[in-house]
Amino acid sequence: MDKRPIALAEIYHLLNPGPVVLVSVEHGGRDNLFPVSWVMPACDDPPVAALLVAREHFSFPLLEASGELGLNLPTLPILDAVYGCGKTSGREVPDKFARFGLHRERATTITAPLVAECVAGIECRVDRIHDVEGSALILARAVAARAAPDCFRDGEWRFEAGLVLCHHLNGARFCLSERAVTARRP
């Protein structure tokens, strides 16, 4: 297979598409939503997620002060709302839930609300924050999670019910996962 060199700044596009998450935060009576595509599981016991967040974003001080966040997994029907949450700042849009037609869902262990329209929600407490070139690499320990049983059951995504997960490519471009396949063993 022929391959050509690419700029190192483009390797993000090679390593993604990962599932985009809609992060929810709350502190001092103010909540906000912002999408993150640089997110991954970092450990399964204890369950820890790693995500990269720009420190200058409106939501970072809320996240840092509260020490909590929600990781909400959106699907295709709310993709425009997810993108809108990323293209607007909480400084100018005081209620992204209302602005993008989303609804707050009470979390069980954290103060930040979850997003009712998302297929799954993971409640997290921040374990550590590391500086990475002006951004914050956040290690967040999952303390509770829930998912729609027709879409996620027995530890697996269930695409046969029409589930379509969104993965960020760049800008306004996303790709979609609509089915799972199983590789044959050699």
Side-chain angles (χ1 to χ4, degrees):
M1 181 177 298
D2 183 39
K3 294 182 182 75
R4 293 188 171 87
I6 65 166
L8 290 177
E10 295 178 357
I11 67 166
Y12 157 69
H13 302 296
L14 290 177
L15 297 175
N16 247 8
V20 66
V21 296
L22 200 49
V23 177
S24 52
V25 295
E26 190 281 333
H27 181 70
R30 177 71 198 275
D31 62 23
N32 200 40
L33 295 170
F34 63 100
V36 171
S37 58
W38 291 15
V39 62
M40 67 176 198
C43 184
D44 63 354
D45 188 18
V48 174
L51 61 152
L52 196 65
V53 175
R55 287 183 170 276
E56 75 268 2
H57 285 209
F58 173 80
S59 292
F60 183 75
L62 301 176
L63 184 156
E64 191 173 39
S66 70
E68 300 177 338
L69 59 104
L71 299 176
N72 301 275
L73 285 106
T75 56
L76 183 58
I78 65 165
L79 180 60
D80 290 339
V82 172
Y83 185 66
C85 284
K87 295 307 286 181
T88 58
S89 170
R91 289 179 187 90
E92 288 83 42
V93 178
D95 187 350
K96 289 188 187 180
F97 282 93
R99 167 69 174 83
F100 296 105
L102 301 171
H103 298 90
R104 290 168 179 84
E105 181 175 270
R106 183 182 282 293
T108 60
T109 62
I110 65 171
T111 305
L114 298 177
V115 180
E117 290 79 7
C118 286
V119 71
I122 305 167
E123 301 174 36
C124 299
R125 292 211 170 86
V126 175
D127 266 357
R128 277 176 244 143
I129 299 176
H130 297 282
D131 287 326
V132 180
E133 301 297 326
S135 291
L137 176 64
I138 299 165
L139 298 177
R141 183 183 303 243
V143 293
R146 57 184 163 210
D150 57 328
C151 296
F152 189 85
R153 187 173 62 252
D154 302 324
E156 294 186 4
W157 288 112
R158 303 297 178 158
F159 293 96
E160 60 274 8
L163 172 68
V164 181
L165 295 174
C166 305
H167 307 269
H168 186 245
L169 293 173
N170 61 348
R173 296 190 64 219
F174 292 78
C175 68
L176 308 172
S177 1
E178 300 181 58
R179 68 185 181 114
V181 297
T182 303
R184 292 183 292 223
R185 292 183 179 231

